[in-house]
Amino acid sequence: MFDAAALELINADQLDKTWLGEQARKRGIAPDRPATELELADVRRVQALLRTLTEIVSDGLPLSDLDVADVNAYLGRAPVTARLHRFPDSGYYVEMTPLAARWVEALVREVVGSWVALLRVDDPPRLRICANDGCRRAFYDETRNRSRRWCNSRTCGNLIRVRRHRDARRAA
């Protein structure tokens, strides 16, 4: 399974201070104060950047050097410390903790890091944009043959299939 932090940000309709605080707490980051308007605007820029980059990747295109530099700029704002831990039963995991002066920077680092993780898991990447023009939500295609077209087959997929069926019946 994967961390959906980036997809949650990309798909957030109501990106506000409350949403930011909830996402921070969900990721183990303790907000010590509400986000400022400047911080909220910065997170909205990150949201727009990740959406644009996801659309590029979803279309099967490579990211440009400038795109990679933009991602690296956000990653570099809050470097991380890595610690190896052992699971109680067996196995190991690495905990990556952002070193940030402000909690919003730590959250941005976590979100951008989760997007990068989704990008590097498979080649070509499985990041997609819903084929329903009325939706356009970002999702991760977990199908074996990378053929998923909709964020949800029961909602968007069914809607498109019904439209095609009706259009075909009208044309006949």
Side-chain angles (χ1 to χ4, degrees), residues 62-128:
L63 298 177
S64 71
D65 291 342
L66 182 59
D67 295 332
V68 172
D70 286 343
V71 170
N72 285 333
Y74 281 107
L75 290 173
R77 280 189 185 177
V80 298
T81 59
R83 292 186 53 107
L84 178 66
H85 296 279
R86 190 173 45 138
F87 287 114
D89 297 336
S90 68
Y92 303 90
Y93 68 96
V94 176
E95 177 185 30
M96 307 285 273
T97 306
L99 301 172
R102 299 175 313 193
W103 69 268
V104 175
E105 287 178 350
L107 178 62
V108 166
R109 171 59 181 84
E110 286 290 309
V111 169
V112 174
S114 81
W115 187 85
V116 169
L118 291 175
L119 187 67
R120 70 180 183 87
V121 168
D122 289 295
D123 188 31
R126 293 177 178 263
L127 286 168
R128 302 281 184 269

